Amino acid sequence: MSRLNLGTGGALTTMVASAAANQAGAALGARAFPAIGPAGVVAVRQFVAAAVLLPIARPDLRRMTWSQWWPTLLLGVVFATMNISLYTAVDRIGLGLAVTLEFLGPLAVALCGSRTPIDLVCAVVAGVGVYVLVLPGSSTDLVGLSLGLLAAGCWASYILLNRVVGARLPGLQGPAVGTSVAALLYLPVAIVLLAQGRFSWMGLAYALGAGVLCSVVPYAADVVALRRVPPRFFGLLQSVHPVWAALAGALILGQIPAAHVWAGMAIVVGTNAAAVAVAGRRAIRVAQNARPVPAT
């Protein structure tokens, strides 16, 4: 029993550290914006992810059927759109606020799967949290907020598409091909930046750091963690991402969130934690009720 607890504790520590690395990588990527812009950072990040995933997954492209190709191609488009919308939002409204808005994507997926009263309450509370987080006014950056919400929609689409891809392609083949598609979409961006001489050593180093910390570390950590903790705990721990994003923004970028941003973030994170926990308990009850009754 102690060994099980130790393994679970190690997995939880791995997940928290992975989230911290992910958001620190996003902050490092933002440091490269003056040199190569958000699109350049996204391009480098996609190249790094593809370079890591393709040798591991080794997908056989020639044997892929259309039923496998179409969701994978859409996944690549979602990767490309999610990352550019998030990084552009980070450039306009800051890391903590952008990541919290993006976090509404998985929260919406968790809430839309049920119509129980507790889910309705969570949806209302989440809406209040978003209002407190943004506090819209005349100086509100509507473009930045819209891009954060676009990233949220892409994250929700990623979750739904990943279920389809995971059922049709084994292992990491789907994400590997999808990331490669996104890398190809950003190849013209990299060519233009290279022709303009904008790939300075410092900017490239920041972008490569973002690629490693935002892609390589999370992929490896998630594989380790999911072997030791149930999926509902995995979903619950994702709630730490906005908190780490705010801390990374403050420590690395000097972006100090206002009090209302911290309050709204706490409401959104708490709502997500509650929604995932309730969904997990509901899934357990359904599984228990579905068990056949032993014959007497």
Side-chain angles (χ1 to χ4, degrees):
M1 188 66 164
S2 59
R3 291 178 62 184
L4 177 61
N5 292 337
L6 181 62
T8 302
L12 295 178
T13 301
T14 299
M15 291 165 60
V16 173
S18 170
N22 199 336
Q23 300 310 325
L28 287 179
R31 295 292 295 269
F33 288 169
I36 58 178
V41 175
V42 174
V44 174
R45 175 177 170 177
Q46 297 303 325
F47 298 153
V48 171
V52 171
L53 286 177
L54 279 176
I56 295 175
R58 297 182 180 180
D60 190 347
L61 303 182
R62 292 172 298 180
R63 294 187 177 182
M64 286 179 60
T65 64
W66 177 241
S67 65
Q68 295 171 325
W69 266 114
W70 74 259
T72 307
L73 291 173
L74 285 179
L75 189 64
V77 174
V78 166
F79 276 143
T81 307
M82 178 170 62
N83 288 324
I84 189 60
S85 58
L86 175 63
Y87 276 91
T88 307
V90 169
D91 192 33
R92 298 181 68 100
I93 61 177
L95 183 60
L97 178 54
V99 170
T100 305
L101 289 174
E102 183 196 31
F103 199 67
L104 296 174
L107 175 59
V109 173
L111 293 177
C112 288
S114 176
R115 299 181 180 84
T116 62
I118 186 63
D119 293 315
L120 178 60
V121 171
C122 286
V124 172
V125 174
V128 173
V130 171
Y131 181 83
V132 173
L133 181 74
V134 175
L135 283 185
S138 58
S139 61
T140 300
D141 188 335
L142 296 179
V143 174
L145 296 178
S146 299
L147 288 168
L149 293 175
L150 175 60
C154 289
W155 196 352
S157 301
Y158 161 78
I159 293 172
L160 299 176
L161 277 172
N162 215 25
R163 291 175 181 171
V164 178
V165 172
R168 298 181 183 182
L169 285 170
L172 292 174
Q173 291 188 24
V177 177
T179 300
S180 301
V181 170
L184 288 175
L185 292 175
Y186 278 95
L187 187 58
V189 174
I191 293 174
V192 170
L193 292 174
L194 189 62
Q196 294 175 345
R198 293 179 59 183
F199 275 117
S200 65
W201 286 109
M202 187 60 69
L204 186 58
Y206 281 136
L208 287 173
V212 172
L213 293 175
C214 294
S215 298
V216 179
V217 172
Y219 284 138
D222 290 352
V223 169
V224 173
L226 283 170
R227 291 174 179 171
R228 293 177 170 84
V229 298
R232 63 190 180 94
F233 284 120
F234 183 84
L236 191 63
L237 261 292
Q238 300 309 298
S239 301
V240 303
H241 276 275
V243 177
W244 280 125
L247 293 175
L251 294 175
I252 298 176
L253 301 175
Q255 299 172 349
I256 308 299
H260 71 88
V261 174
W262 283 110
M265 188 184 306
I267 295 172
V268 172
V269 168
T271 302
N272 178 80
V276 172
V278 170
R281 287 197 295 267
R282 187 181 303 123
I284 291 174
R285 288 197 301 269
V286 171
Q288 289 175 340
N289 292 337
R291 289 177 184 173
V293 179
T296 56

